[in-house]
Amino acid sequence: MNLKLSIKPVLVGFGVMLSSFGYAQEVIVTDSTAIQPDAEVKKVEKSQQGNQRKKVDGIAAVIGEYIILDSDIDLMYKDMQSQGMSTGDVTDCNLAGSLMENKLYAHHAIQDSIIIPDAQINGIVDQRLQGLTQQAGSMEKILEFYNKESEAELRQEIFDLTKQSQLTQRMQQKIIEEIEITPEEVRQYYNKMEEKPMFGTEVELSQIVIEPEIPASEKKKIIDRLNEFKADIEENGASFSTKAVLYSQDPGTASDGGRVTLTRKDPFVKEFKDVAFSLQETEISEPFETEFGYHIIQIDKIRGQTVELRHILLIPDVTNASVEKARAEIDTIRNRIVAGDIEFAEAAKEASDEEETKNDGGKLINPRTGDTRFELTKIDPELFKQVEDLDEGELSLVLTQKDRTGRPQFKIIKVTKKIAEHEADYATDFQKIKELALRDKQLDAIEKWQKEKIADTYIKVNGKYRDCEYTSDWVKN
């Protein structure tokens, strides 16, 4: 039931979060719900940081040193709903099976001495709570939704589940990390296909992007404003947090006073991390620039390789004149290409403001597959609308979009190649067939590992969950 989803290194439940974090002090993970395998109990009261919960949960299952409570299953439902996932067809049996897989991986991750630093988990929890607060509007609404009495109680529960999810991910990665597939195995896999898969219409795309120039006067105005904030805080004792709430243009952190928990492995831009890790506690940076705009940072606390900071982001604006100039430039480029005065790839190298693509003639890379093909039915809906009616070699009209800061951009797209819907062909679709073959080989390894570990692990399933139909042998006779 859950095996097909398990192969991807994704996190279940609260694990749908950022996963690239730095390493602080390394400790072997333990779990507050761990019990002895031979304990025959029907009820358990969970202890969290010395405070007992009022609710007594029934035990749905015991997997090795871990238990699954009835409330854990309820919590998965709540988390799926909070992320906008459909739960109409999800049953308690589905979730119990998924949780049992998680606990099995986590149990054996500990046996294999897989290490997850607490600092890493705390960083994920902070990001998760920030996202929930932004989504719900207040912590009170979050506590009501999850039926928790305090932020500390919710934080501890997220911490425990996140830790187990991270262990699950690491264990899965360990199982499949050395699995490779040879061209001969791909050929055999293709030849054994009883029915060849159909691949939808695909396109290869190139684009030229022109951004309106930000006048130097606008940049200076933003830098001067940030310097005013810095001086007011340092000289007059003004609150950095209050200024972030009032003035920061970062929608993800402004409402929380610009608060960010950061490790060196977090997916923040390099310039931001370089400044953050160069400061001492309470120190405020000089204004600095990233692709998002201009920032100042104040360090609240340094914990090993983790820093707790606050930041203010101000985004310089473009002027009407610079917008009109950019629009005229993209019109001129398009006219030259249509007239045959310049090749698209040459124009991209010469004029495009998109650094990631300009040196390769504007060629787009599919972030999901890593190659140049985009299946029309699977691309971004906005991009689909822009290219669905274009034939091979055809150029789009001038398109307007916004960058991540909300400033306008202009672009033109060319369909450099269009491959009609077709049955899988070994030569044409080798990369896709290879991915299918590798995935199935990884699934086989996961299935074999799981079957062996279920047989070797103490497992007890209780109550109604014994009557569920599982694909794995969770209910041992």
Side-chain angles (χ1 to χ4, degrees):
M1 175 183 62
N2 303 293
L3 187 59
K4 295 293 183 184
L5 298 178
S6 297
I7 192 64
K8 294 183 179 179
V10 296
L11 308 180
V12 182
F14 277 110
V16 186
M17 310 173 196
L18 295 174
S19 61
S20 298
F21 288 82
Y23 293 86
Q25 181 180 2
E26 295 187 341
V27 294
I28 298 296
V29 175
T30 58
D31 184 83
S32 63
T33 62
I35 63 173
Q36 295 300 319
D38 58 352
E40 296 293 336
V41 293
K42 298 297 183 183
K43 303 286 183 181
V44 61
E45 294 190 23
K46 293 174 66 181
S47 173
Q48 296 184 344
Q49 298 180 345
N51 299 320
Q52 282 197 331
R53 289 174 52 186
K54 294 181 180 179
K55 181 179 178 180
V56 179
D57 287 328
I59 295 179
V62 179
I63 309 292
E65 295 180 353
Y66 290 100
I67 63 173
I68 297 171
L69 301 173
D70 290 337
S71 62
D72 292 335
I73 294 170
D74 294 338
L75 191 63
M76 280 195 74
Y77 268 119
K78 289 287 188 182
D79 196 56
M80 291 174 67
Q81 291 169 350
S82 76
Q83 297 176 57
M85 299 180 185
S86 173
T87 57
D89 297 328
V90 177
T91 67
D92 285 353
C93 290
N94 296 149
L95 297 182
S98 181
L99 283 170
M100 284 190 281
E101 285 187 3
N102 273 10
K103 303 293 185 181
L104 182 70
Y105 288 117
H107 171 74
H108 285 283
I110 292 177
Q111 305 306 308
D112 288 359
S113 298
I114 291 178
I115 295 168
I116 305 287
D118 277 357
Q120 176 179 339
I121 305 302
N122 281 322
I124 299 174
V125 173
D126 287 343
Q127 294 282 352
R128 177 65 172 155
L129 288 176
Q130 287 173 13
L132 287 172
T133 303
Q134 182 181 357
Q135 178 182 344
S138 70
M139 179 55 67
E140 289 73 20
K141 291 182 180 179
I142 298 170
L143 296 177
E144 180 182 356
F145 181 78
Y146 284 101
N147 194 27
K148 301 299 177 187
E149 295 183 357
S150 67
E151 181 178 345
E153 181 184 354
L154 178 61
R155 177 178 287 273
Q156 183 63 42
E157 193 139 359
I158 295 176
F159 182 93
D160 293 338
L161 292 177
T162 302
K163 208 167 215 181
Q164 292 166 27
S165 295
Q166 286 283 298
L167 284 169
T168 296
Q169 180 188 17
R170 294 284 187 86
M171 193 68 244
Q172 290 175 347
Q173 289 172 340
K174 184 176 180 179
I175 295 167
I176 66 172
E177 64 185 359
E178 295 184 359
I179 295 178
E180 298 178 345
I181 195 158
T182 66
E184 177 60 22
E185 287 177 305
V186 178
R187 186 187 66 79
Q188 292 178 11
Y189 178 85
Y190 176 78
N191 290 336
K192 289 179 181 178
M193 284 180 172
E194 295 183 2
E195 184 176 347
K196 302 294 188 288
M198 292 294 295
F199 293 135
T201 301
E202 296 175 304
V203 291
E204 293 184 358
L205 305 171
S206 296
Q207 69 180 24
I208 297 172
V209 178
I210 300 297
E211 300 174 348
E213 185 178 357
I214 301 170
S217 59
E218 288 295 319
K219 295 180 181 180
K220 184 178 185 304
K221 183 169 67 176
I222 290 296
I223 293 171
D224 290 345
R225 192 81 190 280
L226 290 173
N227 278 323
E228 289 174 8
F229 293 161
K230 175 179 165 68
D232 194 23
I233 296 165
E234 291 177 335
E235 298 171 11
N236 303 319
S239 167
F240 194 106
S241 177
T242 299
K243 288 189 180 295
V245 171
L246 293 175
Y247 304 112
S248 181
Q249 293 176 272
D250 180 3
T253 65
S255 62
D256 194 26
R259 186 164 67 92
V260 172
T261 300
L262 183 66
T263 73
R264 291 187 182 276
K265 296 293 184 180
D266 285 352
F268 280 68
V269 291
K270 181 179 183 298
E271 298 89 346
F272 191 95
K273 289 195 289 187
D274 286 347
V275 173
F277 286 99
S278 70
L279 301 173
Q280 302 300 316
E281 287 188 3
T282 74
E283 188 177 359
I284 301 176
S285 73
E286 298 295 331
F288 65 95
E289 184 180 12
T290 71
E291 62 190 84
F292 297 97
Y294 289 85
H295 313 251
I296 55 172
I297 288 176
Q298 182 177 46
I299 303 299
D300 284 347
K301 186 182 295 185
I302 299 174
R303 296 186 285 109
Q305 298 298 309
T306 301
V307 294
E308 296 177 5
L309 60 86
R310 296 182 185 275
H311 86 115
I312 296 172
L313 167 68
L314 295 183
I315 303 171
D317 206 355
V318 294
T319 63
N320 289 336
S322 63
V323 171
E324 289 304 316
K325 181 180 178 182
R327 176 63 193 239
E329 182 179 355
I330 195 80
D331 283 337
T332 299
I333 292 170
R334 187 181 187 281
N335 290 337
R336 290 180 65 199
I337 295 170
V338 171
D341 296 335
I342 189 172
E343 292 294 328
F344 190 99
E346 183 182 349
K349 293 178 182 179
E350 179 182 296
S352 182
D353 290 322
E354 188 171 61
E355 295 297 331
E356 299 88 346
T357 63
K358 65 179 298 180
N359 291 327
D360 199 19
K363 188 178 297 182
L364 292 178
I365 301 298
N366 188 332
R368 188 177 62 85
T369 62
D371 63 19
T372 58
R373 290 189 184 183
F374 293 81
E375 190 168 340
L376 277 180
T377 59
K378 296 179 181 179
I379 63 175
D380 176 78
E382 186 65 28
L383 183 57
F384 175 80
K385 287 191 296 184
Q386 295 169 351
V387 303
E388 63 173 323
D389 295 327
L390 297 179
D391 293 327
E392 183 172 314
E394 194 172 356
L395 203 61
S396 73
L397 299 175
V398 173
L399 305 167
T400 304
Q401 63 184 23
K402 290 185 178 181
D403 67 13
R404 60 183 69 187
T405 68
R407 292 189 293 252
Q409 293 178 326
F410 301 104
K411 72 176 181 180
I412 49 176
I413 298 176
K414 180 180 180 181
V415 177
T416 55
K417 191 172 184 179
K418 194 166 191 176
I419 303 98
E421 180 181 9
H422 62 282
E423 184 180 275
D425 176 77
Y426 181 75
T428 306
D429 303 301
F430 177 82
Q431 188 61 36
K432 289 187 176 63
I433 297 167
K434 180 182 177 181
E435 290 171 4
L436 293 174
L438 179 60
R439 184 199 63 186
D440 282 2
K441 189 174 182 179
Q442 291 171 334
L443 284 171
D444 289 342
I446 288 281
E447 186 174 9
K448 179 182 178 182
W449 181 93
Q450 187 167 303
K451 184 175 181 180
E452 291 174 352
K453 297 305 180 183
I454 288 176
D456 294 341
T457 305
Y458 176 86
I459 295 173
K460 182 175 177 62
V461 183
N462 296 322
K464 67 178 184 179
Y465 300 104
R466 294 185 60 85
D467 299 326
C468 294
E469 294 184 5
Y470 304 112
T471 55
S472 298
D473 189 22
W474 297 112
V475 182
K476 297 183 179 181
N477 297 323

